[in-house]
Structure formats: C-alpha cells, structure tokens
Amino acid sequence: MKGSLQTAVTLLPAITAAVLAWDALRLRARPAGLAIAALLTSAAIWTGGYAGEILAATLQGKLLWAKVQYFGIATLPLAWLAFADGYAGGRWGWERRWPLLAPMPFITLALAWTNELHGMIWTSVAMDQIGGISVLALEHGTWFYLHVAFCYVLLAAGSIRIVRELWRRPFFGRQAMAMVAGAIGPWAGNLLYVSGLNPIAPLDLTPFAFAASAITLTIAVGRFGFLDLVPVAHASVLASMADSVFVLDSRDRVIDTNPAARNSFCIGGDPVGRNVRDLIPSLPSGHRELGPEHRHGFSHTVDGRITHYALSSTPLADPRRRESGRILVITDVTDQRLAEERIHTLAHKDALTGLPNREVFRGRFDRALRAARRNGRHAACLFIDLDNFKRINDHYGHSIGDAVLREAVRRIEAGLRASDTVLAAPDDTTLARFGGDEFVILLEGLDHPEDAVPPAERVIAALQAPHRHGESRLSLNASVGVAVYPDDGEDAETLLRNADAAMYAAKEGGGNRVQFFTSRIRDAVTQRIEVESELHRAIEQDAFVLAYQPQFCTARNRIVGFEALLRWNHPERGIVRPGDFVAVAEQSGLIIPMGEWIMQRACSDWTRLRAATGTDCRLAINLSPRQFADPRLIRYLRETLERTGLPPKLLEIELTEGALMEDTETTQELLEDLHSLGASLAIDDFGAGYSSLAYMRTFHLDVIKIDRSFVASMLDDHRAANLVRAMIAMGHNLGLEVVCEGVEQQEQLEALVEAGCDRLQGYLLGHPVPIEQVEALLRQEPAHRLAASA
Ligand code: C2E
Ligand code: CA
Ligand code: CA
C-alpha cells in the first residue's frame, strides 16, 4: 500500500513533467522548448525524489531517494537560468556560457552519489520523526554549502532576468502575473523552509514550489500567447527580416527592434526606450491611425543618401483586444521606386534613341505654343522622314538599322547645334522620335518663319554625309516638312498634320529636300480630309461597285480570269476611279472595311457567275499594304471563301511590292498562310518598285504582273522591250506565270505573245465591266480570240 503510494507520488511529477515538456517542445521551437523541458524534468526529479525520501520506510531507502533528488537539485538551477535567459531573448547567451557552469552540478552529483565521497555533502545521516513523517536528519559537509551558494546565484540570476524582462515589456496581464508568480514561487517555498515558518516543519517545500513554478511558467508561456512569449523564436524571425521592425508601446516608445531597424535608423546607440520620432523624424504622422493594410511611403536621408520606405503599422493588442502598442514594419522600396522610374522613362522616352516620344513632344509643343502666343513669336515644327531607311533595314538587317537610327539622331542633333548666325537661331529645340524613321523637331522662339530653313537644311546635310557600318558605307537622305505657328496652324495637332503633309510633298518631289507647308499642300490636305469624310459616307451608303477586267491566256486563246477593280459611284462626280481615293482610304485605314466589302462582293459575284455559266475563270483581287498588314486578314479571307463557297484555287491575290517590303519575316509567314488557304499570289506592278529581284528569291509567289509602264513604252523604247522580255524569261525560270497589263495596241499584243507572256490584260482585250456584262463577255468569247484580233 505504502509502496504503491510512493510509486504514485514519485511518478506523478514525472508524468506531469513529461506531458508538459512534450507540449512545450511541440508548441515552441528549440531552444526555448528544450529549456522548458529541462526545467520541468529537473523539477520533477527533485520533487519525485523528495516524495520518495519521505515515503521510504528505511534509512537506506530514504538515502537512495535523497540521492535521486540530487539529480534534480543539481541540474535545476542551470535549467532555470537557461529558461529565464531564453525568455529574455537569449541576450545573455547561456548556451555559450553553460560549459563554465556545468562542472558544478556534475561534481555535486558525483559527491552525493558516491558513498566514499558523499561526506562532502552529508557528514552524518539519521532518521528523524516529525509530526508522524519520518525524514532524514542530515549534517552537511563543505561542498553542500558551496553548491547551495552556486544554486542561489543561478536561481537569483534567472529570477531577476524574468522579472526584468517583464519590466522591460509593458504588457501586464495574466501571463505577466503567472511569470512573476513562477519567478518568486521557489523563493517563497525556500524562505519558509529556511526561516522555520513552515506550517509542516521541517518539511522542505522548495522542491514542490519549484515544481509548481515550472508548471506555472510552462503554462504561462505556452497558453497566453504574446509576441514576446518566446522571444528566442521571435527574435530570430525578426533578426532574419530584411524589413525594419519596431515594437512600440502606447506612447510610441521603442520596446523592441530588429537588427535591420538598428542598422537603418538607430545609429546613435540603443533605441529601446526612445521615442520612434526621435529616431525617424520623417515618419508619417498619424501612423497610429493606419491599419496593417495601408502602406505609407516616406523617405529618410542618412549622410545625404535618400532611401525610400513603405510603412505598415499594426496594432498590438492583448487578448482582451486592448491596444497596448504597435508594430511598425518599414520596407526599403528604393529599388522598386527606381524600377518605377525606369518604367516611367520607358513610357516617355523612345527606348532605342532615348529621345522623347510622341506624348512628351505633344506636351512640350503645347507649352511652346502658349509661350509663342504670349510673346508674339514663331514656332516651327519639322517633320523628318528618312527616304531610304526601309531599304537599309531590309538589306542590312535590324541591328544595323538600329545603329543607323542612333547615328541619324546624333547627326540631327549635331545639325541642330551647329548654328551659323546666332541672331536667327531658335531659343530652344526639341527632337523627338515618332516611331520608325520618323523624327520631329520643335523650334521655339523664331523671329521669322524663314528662320526654320537653316536648321532644316543643316539636318539634311548632316544626315547625308556618308558613314560606315561594318563593311558598308551608307548615306541617308531625308525629307523634311515644315509647318510654322501661327501661319500654318494654331494648335499642335494641325501643325503636326501640316508638317507631315509637307513632308509627304517633299517625298513626292523626289525626297532629300525641305518642303514648307504651302497653300497647294493645304488644298491637298483639305481635299484629303474631304475625301475621307465622303468615303465614310460612301461605306455607309454602299456606294461602291466592282468592275471586272478580263485576262486572256495566250496559249489557250481565251479568257482565263478577271481582275476585280473598285469603282466609287459618287453622287456628284459619277464613277470615280480608285486612283483618286484608294490612297486616302489607305492612309485613314478605311481600306480595311472597304477591302472586306470588296472581298465579299467579288466572291459572291463569282459564285453566282459560276452557277450561271459554269466558268472556271480565276478571280484576281487587289490587296493594299494596309490590308496585308491587318492581323485579321487570313481569318477574314477564309471565312469569306467558306461563306460564298468560292473554290480557293480560283482566287488570285494581287499584292504590290511595297506590301511585301514591310517586314520580311512576318511577310513570309503571311504568304504561307495565304497559300495554305489555297489561293495563288501575284505581284502587281512588278518592276515599278525596288529590290524586285531580291524578293523573288525570298518569297513564295505564283504570278508576276509586269507593270503597265513597261508595256506602254515597249514600242518606242527598245530597252523597255528588252526589259519586258527579260522579266518574262526570268519569271519563267523561277517557275512563275507572267501577266502583262495595260495592253492597248495590237503591236504590243503581238510582241508580248512572241515574248512568251502567259496572260494579257488591257483595254485592247477588254475594259473593266460590271458583273452583268461579264457573263456576256464569256458567251461571246470566241469572237475575242487573240488570233482573231491579231
Ligand atoms: P492596278 O492593280 O494596277 O490595276 C490596273 C489598273 O489599270 C486599273 O485601273 C485598270 O482599269 C487599268 N487598266 C487596265 N487596262 C488598261 C489599259 O490598257 N491602259 C491603261 N492605261 N490602264 C489600264 P483602276 O481601276 O483605275 O485602278 C487603279 C489602281 O487602284 C489599281 O491598279 C489598284 O492598285 C487600285 N485598286 C483598284 N481596285 C482595287 C481594289 O479593289 N482594292 C485595292 N486595294 N486597290 C484597288
Ligand atoms: Ca492589280
Ligand atoms: Ca498593276
């Protein structure tokens, strides 16, 4: 009975300790969890040993338990100190110092355990009987007192650390009370024993007090969660944060910081206890009103170096939700700011040349015009377009093209700087890139409109001087259009448009020249604007019609195809030919809806014609460069073919050389897509553009249509005739079909038949006619045989 009570009493603290220690380890990271577990284990061994001593019947038994007790007595002070230091944030660093302290308990254990040595602990051992409890009556040896002194020092150090830590942290709640009770409990127990005031004297209450303390502390630490409960863990989290963290009390005094905060803001010593505003004067006021979701920006200067920060502020509340402090997290956002600035630059500057872009230019232009209005002076807008840049880009590749553009900028700038007459020089100049090879210059503060001429001419001259790119020597020609405020326009938009129009006029006049905006250009511009609005109306009113011009096959001596040609049924001017409006439609983008209408109309005309006549004639449709660049083109063509049921192999698409020259890589893809539809591809106006031979090799084509101008002059000019023959031969060598258009005379026809041209088209063989007449043409075809007309 007594034996099992003894077992129970000794096991109980052991089990409690084990459970709590496990819980502490589970809840808290090491080393805090380990320290708590060690504390609990030591207290349990001591208490269990003491209970065993009291309950043992024999002197021998009591002595054995007393020895067991010493395992607890000897190790507990160290565990206590470890726990206390851990609680205080590990500032003292007991882990590093504990090898200095550890020998003491081990010596004590050795002296207590070994019979020959334990005289140092106990000089005499006897049984005593007090109030029915039999206890050991001990006479102590020298080491005992030494060890007791050691223990008191360690215990005092630990208790002081816990209490001081609580003092440092102004959070008073259940946790703090439990911690204080835990810290002073063992002292109370020990005091009762030592002073003899013990109600059940001379029972030593110290081990029980320790066990109770250890359990109290463990529960306090484990249950009443607070930021600073296991500062070891939190401190390491905070220490590893790149953001600066300040823990503030309710009056903005710093309670705690992390290394990042100390490095960034606390140059003058320990920040604890100081007001955070003394440390960071630029801290946004009202940070107390901020929720954690707000991020407030501010900047802080140290030694003249500005750092940008974002601040978030989180209230620190105790479990009853009273706000007792704040946590400030301050993030260094300098890099982010720099990145944002870079994005801003990218949005406002041209990436290739670093020049202002269109938006920025517009802003400056508006400002310059306001100034010009105030001081009654002139401002000029120069529109520059490089004449031959596209060719350079296609021929030498994009990286040379980019280098050429950068060189062009250097030269334009140099041309603007070099001013011969100081008097006529503009007050200020701005150069911007509008995209591609288009640049715009703003000249401010001119006395006369003519003052814009010298800079413009210097720019052209500077561009023209040859420069080397690798092996090649290049020179650039530029067309410059000039519009001057207030003569050529009052606002930036008008002036830009007029300078652009003048630039086009300079190009049409052969390029490499300066062209002022003139009344003639103004008329052309006005007319263009007029045509544009009329075209809008025409699209709405369905005022377009198609005419079909026949193409004859020389070998089969009959009509094999028709080209669809657009006609505008103008309310006043009657039938208008595309030469008068296609360019405007192209520039304004109206060609896209018009082109879709043409495709749809031509294809449905053709299916109807086929149903009526059973013809297998091809249908040729013209595509303008703008349509060719339209990303929806392929889808639209496919849909139209499917909708109308026209067999794709009857469709022939006519493209101009200009359309092919835009961008070689995407062009190639697009041509493949067109082929995959089943349509064939013809190059229109062949020979009229440039680099004809180069792309013949690059692109997958089916037909070349030799430009009208060659046919027109072949009878008078034997070189033109030779050229036509050469082009036909070359086309055949490349496996292409050759079409000649603009055949107006019998002699031309004969020469072309002789040269082996595959198909002929021209007024001699048939004018473009409405669809209703196409059927008739097909029926009376035999009368139009080439042989017959020959
Ligand atoms: P193009 O593609 O070179 O079309 C041939 C032009 O030559 C047509 O002029 C046609 O009427 C004309 N022509 C035919 N035979 C002769 C002849 O024997 N002598 C002379 N002097 N001319 C002849 P049109 O219809 O005025 O078209 C002019 C240009 O407008 C076309 O040149 C083409 O580039 C464009 N175009 C016409 N229809 C369309 C269209 O539906 N879409 C697009 N994007 N452009 C079109
Ligand atoms: Ca054509
Ligand atoms: Ca043509």
Side-chain angles (χ1 to χ4, degrees), residues 577-610:
R577 298 267 297 254
D580 294 345
F581 65 87
V582 162
V584 177
E586 174 81 12
Q587 269 169 31
S588 61
L590 285 171
I591 194 73
I592 301 284
M594 282 163 64
E596 290 180 359
W597 179 88
I598 293 163
M599 263 306 286
Q600 168 64 35
R601 170 54 56 90
C603 290
S604 57
D605 276 355
W606 225 243
T607 36
R608 243 179 293 120
L609 181 78
R610 277 167 50 79

Side-chain angles (χ1 to χ4, degrees), residues 545-547 549 563-567 576-582 586 591 594-595 597-599 620-625 627 654 656 684-685 705 707-708 712 741-745 748 761-768:
V545 284
L546 287 178
Q549 187 177 29
E563 179 179 5
L565 294 161
L566 188 60
R567 299 288 177 263
V576 182
R577 298 267 297 254
D580 294 345
F581 65 87
V582 162
E586 174 81 12
I591 194 73
M594 282 163 64
W597 179 88
I598 293 163
M599 263 306 286
I621 292 182
N622 292 285
L623 277 193
S624 79
Q627 286 172 280
E654 295 193 3
T656 53
D684 208 351
D685 305 341
K705 288 188 81 175
D707 191 61
R708 257 206 318 279
E741 53 181 348
V743 183
E744 295 178 350
Q745 300 168 30
Q748 290 169 337
Q761 179 183 347
Y763 295 160
L764 177 69
L765 297 152
H767 282 264

Side-chain angles (χ1 to χ4, degrees), residues 488-537:
D488 303 330
E490 298 268 339
D491 59 283
E493 201 177 323
T494 314
L495 285 162
L496 276 169
R497 197 181 52 224
N498 290 345
D500 190 18
M503 185 276 289
Y504 265 101
K507 261 201 198 309
E508 273 164 24
N512 205 24
R513 67 186 66 195
V514 181
Q515 171 70 57
F516 266 73
F517 186 68
T518 59
S519 58
R520 196 181 51 77
I521 300 172
R522 185 192 302 277
D523 292 345
V525 170
T526 322
Q527 202 202 331
R528 213 187 68 207
I529 294 171
E530 216 168 277
V531 170
E532 199 180 313
S533 70
E534 280 184 335
L535 279 178
H536 270 287
R537 236 171 302 140

Side-chain angles (χ1 to χ4, degrees), residues 226-243:
F226 248 153
L227 169 74
D228 54 348
L229 289 187
V230 183
V232 189
H234 287 277
S236 62
V237 170
L238 288 183
S240 66
M241 278 175 76
D243 295 341

Side-chain angles (χ1 to χ4, degrees), residues 170-190:
F171 305 113
F172 289 99
R174 282 185 293 172
Q175 188 218 359
M177 275 154 53
M179 293 303 291
V180 171
I184 60 175
W187 297 96
N190 193 249

Side-chain angles (χ1 to χ4, degrees), residues 685-759:
D685 305 341
F686 182 80
Y690 48 69
S691 58
S692 316
L693 294 171
Y695 70 66
M696 299 302 301
R697 204 172 24 132
T698 318
F699 298 128
H700 178 184
L701 304 164
D702 307 293
V703 180
I704 52 174
K705 288 188 81 175
I706 294 172
D707 191 61
R708 257 206 318 279
S709 59
F710 294 99
V711 177
S713 47
M714 66 185 291
L715 293 182
D716 313 323
D717 179 353
H718 71 277
R719 287 196 315 178
N722 284 339
L723 259 177
V724 171
R725 271 192 288 277
M727 284 192 276
I728 293 171
M730 187 201 70
H732 287 163
N733 280 339
L734 289 167
L736 305 174
E737 219 185 317
V738 182
V739 182
C740 282
E741 53 181 348
V743 183
E744 295 178 350
Q745 300 168 30
Q746 189 61 33
E747 291 85 347
Q748 290 169 337
L749 181 143
E750 280 160 14
L752 290 170
V753 170
E754 196 194 305
C757 181
D758 303 291
R759 271 189 263 162

